[in-house]
Amino acid sequence: MLIKTTDKITFSITERTMTKEGYMIVPGRVARTGTQDYLAKELGIDELEPNTVVKVGRTEDEVFNQESLDSFRDVDITIDHPTELVDALTYKQVSVGHVRTAGIRDGDFVQCELIIKDKTAIDSINKGKVQLSAGYEHELVKSSTSDCDYNQKNIRINHVA
């Protein structure tokens, strides 16, 4: 079963370049490895109480899997996470740019180059809205280790907020 998830950890944008068209190009750390806490209801785990905290692992093998890294290329950038995944029916309402590159490893993080094309979004970034968070689908597999309850497998990116 594929599960829609958004990262809870966010990463700041530091470098900014403007094109002659007024677009903003920025490199950004858009994901990371490690364990993250979710509520059971966020993951669709019906056998647990909805507000039970579930520890979910994102291993290096999965985060830096080439198919996962490649899935960043050309996904839409949104301001905040949309309620549904971005698709052909919703992109005009939510997209403010796109990720230009596949992800590359940067320590425990994934880094990409983003281009923001929407003027309102650029103004918002210039006023301090500088955190990044990936929205994606993955498989959730019960963990065999004691450091987390589940692990994410087959991570595929849908958008970066």
Side-chain angles (χ1 to χ4, degrees), residues 21 42 46 58 64 69 78 86 89 126 134 136 148:
E21 298 84 9
E42 293 176 299
D46 297 330
R58 301 184 73 214
F64 302 126
L69 292 173
T78 63
V86 179
L89 295 174
N126 285 331
Y136 53 96
C148 59

Side-chain angles (χ1 to χ4, degrees), residues 34-69:
T35 302
Q36 297 181 32
D37 293 339
Y38 294 94
L39 297 178
K41 65 184 174 187
E42 293 176 299
L43 300 171
I45 302 173
D46 297 330
E47 60 268 16
L48 296 174
E49 290 295 320
N51 291 323
T52 301
V53 175
V54 178
K55 294 195 173 301
V56 178
R58 301 184 73 214
T59 65
E60 289 183 9
D61 289 349
E62 292 297 327
V63 172
F64 302 126
N65 172 285
Q66 196 59 53
E67 287 184 42
S68 178
L69 292 173

Side-chain angles (χ1 to χ4, degrees), residues 21-35:
E21 298 84 9
Y23 303 151
M24 179 183 285
I25 299 172
V26 294
R29 287 179 164 177
V30 293
R32 69 169 177 91
T33 61
T35 302

Side-chain angles (χ1 to χ4, degrees), residues 90-156:
T90 63
Y91 88 94
K92 281 188 179 182
Q93 290 81 34
V94 298
S95 183
V96 297
H98 68 273
V99 178
R100 295 172 59 160
T101 62
I104 59 169
R105 186 173 186 163
D106 180 11
D108 290 334
F109 301 93
V110 175
Q111 182 168 313
C112 295
E113 184 177 86
L114 300 83
I115 184 165
I116 313 299
K117 293 185 170 187
D118 179 78
K119 176 71 168 121
T120 302
I122 292 168
D123 291 344
S124 181
I125 292 166
N126 285 331
K127 291 177 183 171
K129 190 167 189 76
V130 294
Q131 297 178 323
L132 298 173
S133 175
Y136 53 96
E137 290 183 307
H138 61 91
E139 293 176 39
L140 197 61
V141 179
K142 195 87 166 136
S143 177
S144 59
T145 64
S146 61
D147 60 333
C148 59
D149 303 306
Y150 291 88
N151 285 309
Q152 292 179 348
K153 302 281 185 191
N154 299 315
I155 300 166
R156 299 298 180 265

Side-chain angles (χ1 to χ4, degrees), residues 2-20:
L2 286 179
I3 296 173
K4 176 189 143 206
T5 305
T6 58
D7 280 347
K8 298 262 198 260
I9 303 297
T10 52
F11 311 99
S12 295
I13 297 171
T14 55
E15 299 173 32
R16 302 170 188 174
T17 304
M18 300 303 292
T19 70
K20 64 182 174 88

